[in-house]
């Protein structure tokens, strides 16, 4: 391990210690473009090189190589004559037929620490299928890039379960994908033959830059760790008709719409003196997605203190400010969204409809923080038996 290299992922630990276990196992591999080792070598050719019989590939949202944009159904393809089955589209869990050619599924996905991000739910559905059809399930653990300590936002109300939140966790859940697998499997009674291969050297307080690992964007609009830091808040913009900055070089760090006066919004937000963040008035023109080719006024978030910054609360305050400045233009995004056809997208992102209703009533969103802090405290106790790291 180099002087800069502090952490080994589950994949690196697998390559060091556990390859023999897999050499007589037909492996189905659930992975994406960020499934790389410390030398940026992708898991698929690595396992093949070491004689592991990979018979089937499975791809989450955005596809095996992360080329598809959000909410684009992925077709089944082939990679070096091996089928790549999509788990994002009409089918989001593997069928018995798709699992017929494997003995174990190896899951190696880089998550970003927010409940909305679909990879943890793809993993959960794949694990349930493996439990149902008698296949082993192996998770190669990876860092939570925005640390494993901080929890924020409401714990999901099961009535608002969707593919951007299947189970009751906070928006910012503070767990690794391996820990979530253990919680779902043991805490919620899935009962899969599960094995998690932990990382070596990861500490809960770490942000991704502290790991010494190279960052590979896990999805097309998650280009940097800074994007992941703001994402627990700015993903809420998907539940509105505002642009979340897709089609720019700073998705989720910028937001706006053609009707917004960026200077007026900037003045209003800076006057709030929100901790850990500064706002920059800006204009941008998306090259695709909402307001494609139109000039949008808005703001860019610049996080100045990650420890003080509360992305979920900050974004509620930003959205409420925009609603107050532009009451006749601001609109919630209607369904369908992420396979939910009835509930508001904003509600399934929040995991409750109470936040939207309070915003519509004109009451301060800050009054909700105490409520979700209480639910986060309860979740922190619930998750304790499944945490793998200090």
């Amino acid at each position: 391990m180099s002087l800069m290299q502090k952490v080994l992922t589950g994949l690196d630990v697998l390559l060091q210690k556990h390859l023999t276990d897999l050499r007589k196992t037909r492996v189905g591999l659930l992975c994406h473009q960020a499934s790389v080792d410390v030398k940026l070598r992708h898991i698929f050719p690595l396992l093949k090189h070491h004689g592991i019989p990979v018979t089937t590939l499975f791809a989450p949202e955005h596809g095996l190589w992360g080329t598809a944009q959000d909410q684009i159904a992925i077709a089944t393809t082939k990679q070096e004559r091996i089928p790549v089955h999509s788990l994002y589209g009409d089918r989001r869990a593997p069928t018995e037929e798709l699992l017929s050619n494997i003995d174990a599924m190896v899951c190696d996905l880089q998550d970003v620490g927010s409940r909305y991000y679909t990879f943890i739910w793809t993993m959960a559905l794949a694990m349930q299928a493996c439990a149902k059809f008698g296949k082993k399930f192996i998770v190669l653990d990876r860092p939570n890039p925005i640390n494993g300590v901080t929890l924020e936002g409401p714990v999901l109300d099961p009535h608002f379960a969707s593919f951007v939140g299947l189970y009751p966790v906070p928006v910012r859940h503070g767990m690794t994908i391996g820990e979530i697998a253990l919680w779902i499997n043991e805490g919620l009674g899935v009962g899969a033959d599960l094995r998690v291969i932990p990382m070596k050297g990861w500490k809960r307080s770490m942000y991704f830059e502290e790991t010494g690992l190279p960052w590979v964007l896990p999805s097309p609009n998650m280009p940097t760790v800074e994007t992941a830091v703001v994402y627990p808040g700015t993903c809420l913009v998907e539940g509105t008709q505002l642009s979340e900055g897709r089609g720019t070089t700073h998705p989720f760090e910028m937001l706006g719409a053609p009707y917004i006066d960026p200077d007026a919004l900037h003045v209003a937000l800076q006057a709030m003196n929100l901790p850990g963040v500064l706002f920059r008035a800006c204009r941008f023109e998306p090259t695709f997605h909402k307001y494609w080719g139109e000039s949008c006024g808005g703001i860019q978030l610049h996080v100045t203190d990650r420890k003080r910054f509360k992305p979920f609360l900050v974004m509620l305050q930003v959205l409420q400010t925009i609603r107050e400045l532009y009451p006749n233009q601001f609109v919630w995004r209607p369904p369908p969204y992420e396979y939910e056809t009835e509930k508001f997208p904003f509600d399934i992102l929040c995991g409750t409809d109470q936040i939207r209703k309070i915003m519509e009533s004109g009451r301060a969103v800050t009054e909700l923080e105490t409520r979700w802090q209480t639910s986060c405290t309860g979740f922190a106790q619930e998750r304790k038996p499944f945490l793998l790291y200090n």
Side-chain angles (χ1 to χ4, degrees):
M1 195 180 298
S2 72
L3 291 176
M4 291 296 295
Q5 185 61 51
K6 298 178 181 179
V7 173
L8 293 176
T9 67
L11 172 58
D12 295 300
V13 174
L14 173 79
L15 295 172
Q16 284 186 352
K17 298 182 178 180
H18 303 291
L19 283 173
T20 303
D21 304 346
L22 289 179
R23 287 208 169 98
K24 295 182 180 179
T25 302
R26 297 175 302 164
V27 168
L29 186 55
L30 172 55
C31 62
H32 57 181
Q33 74 273 16
S35 307
V36 297
D37 72 351
V38 293
K39 297 181 180 179
L40 290 172
R41 298 176 297 184
H42 192 264
I43 185 173
F44 177 45
L46 271 175
L47 293 189
K48 286 181 59 183
H49 172 75
H50 287 285
I52 308 302
V54 178
T55 59
T56 312
L57 291 163
F58 297 93
E61 184 180 7
H62 309 295
L64 184 62
W65 301 114
T67 55
Q69 288 295 328
D70 69 306
Q71 299 179 67
I72 302 296
I74 308 299
T76 292
T77 60
K78 286 194 174 182
Q79 182 74 28
E80 299 180 22
R81 297 193 296 274
I82 292 177
V84 183
H85 296 297
S86 168
L87 298 182
Y88 189 79
D90 293 336
R91 178 187 61 228
R92 293 181 293 285
T95 62
E96 183 175 17
E97 180 183 2
L98 297 187
L99 296 175
S100 62
N101 199 33
I102 73 170
D103 303 307
M105 183 179 293
V106 173
C107 173
D108 186 18
L109 297 172
Q110 176 62 60
D111 183 45
V112 300
S114 295
R115 186 180 68 215
Y116 329 113
Y117 213 58
T118 60
F119 296 158
I120 55 175
W121 310 124
T122 296
M123 176 204 67
L125 294 176
M127 182 168 63
Q128 289 173 8
C130 286
K132 182 177 180 180
F133 300 117
K135 309 296 181 179
K136 296 179 181 179
F137 197 77
I138 302 167
V139 177
L140 308 183
D141 212 4
R142 288 187 176 268
N144 183 323
I146 58 174
N147 84 46
V149 176
T150 309
L151 308 180
E152 190 191 3
V155 172
L156 178 132
D157 177 342
H159 291 99
F160 292 88
S162 73
F163 203 53
V164 287
L166 285 179
Y167 295 114
V169 298
V171 169
R172 187 171 177 182
H173 52 68
M175 299 174 79
T176 68
I177 193 168
E179 291 172 337
I180 288 177
L182 290 169
W183 172 69
I184 292 172
N185 193 52
E186 299 175 28
L188 303 183
V190 170
D193 184 356
L194 171 66
R195 180 184 183 188
V196 175
I197 297 184
M199 295 174 280
K200 181 179 179 182
W202 190 71
K203 305 295 182 185
R204 305 206 73 81
S205 61
M206 285 181 170
Y207 282 84
F208 196 87
E209 297 96 333
E210 299 173 84
T211 66
L213 294 167
W215 176 260
V216 177
L217 67 172
S219 58
N221 292 286
M222 196 62 59
T224 67
V225 181
E226 280 298 328
T227 319
V229 169
V230 299
Y231 185 77
T234 52
C235 184
L236 291 174
V237 181
E238 288 192 8
T240 75
Q241 296 291 38
L242 298 168
S243 167
E244 62 270 20
R246 292 183 191 271
T248 76
T249 55
H250 287 278
F252 295 107
E253 295 178 54
M254 297 196 294
L255 61 98
Y259 60 80
I260 290 177
D261 177 343
D263 294 317
L265 177 58
H266 174 257
V267 167
L269 292 175
Q270 286 298 97
M272 298 170 72
N273 197 28
L274 300 176
V277 63
L278 293 174
F279 302 96
R280 180 182 68 86
C282 67
R283 285 197 170 273
F284 58 91
E285 187 175 299
T287 58
F288 60 86
H289 217 263
K290 297 174 187 171
Y291 305 119
W292 174 83
E294 296 185 58
S295 177
C296 293
I299 48 100
Q300 181 176 357
L301 285 76
H302 293 264
V303 178
T304 57
D305 187 338
R306 289 179 178 178
K307 291 183 179 179
R308 299 179 66 219
F309 175 56
K310 299 178 179 180
F312 187 79
L313 179 60
V314 163
M315 192 45 48
L316 293 183
Q317 292 170 289
V318 169
L319 293 177
Q320 189 70 323
T321 300
I322 295 174
R323 278 178 49 84
E324 291 168 356
L325 288 173
Y326 304 99
N328 297 322
Q329 289 102 330
F330 181 92
V331 179
W332 302 112
R333 179 177 180 168
Y337 172 77
E338 289 290 1
Y339 308 103
E340 166 60 49
T341 60
E342 296 181 3
K343 296 181 178 68
F344 276 104
F346 189 79
D347 293 351
I348 64 170
L349 286 166
C350 289
T352 173
D353 61 0
Q354 294 305 301
I355 291 175
R356 175 178 55 81
K357 290 177 178 178
I358 282 181
M359 292 175 74
E360 290 175 342
S361 74
R363 288 153 58 194
V365 293
T366 50
E367 70 181 63
L368 287 167
E369 186 179 17
T370 301
R371 199 180 306 174
W372 73 59
Q373 284 176 336
T374 300
S375 64
C376 283
T377 299
F379 180 76
Q381 292 301 312
E382 182 183 338
R383 72 176 189 164
K384 265 187 178 180
F386 311 107
L387 300 184
L388 298 171
Y389 313 93
N390 295 320

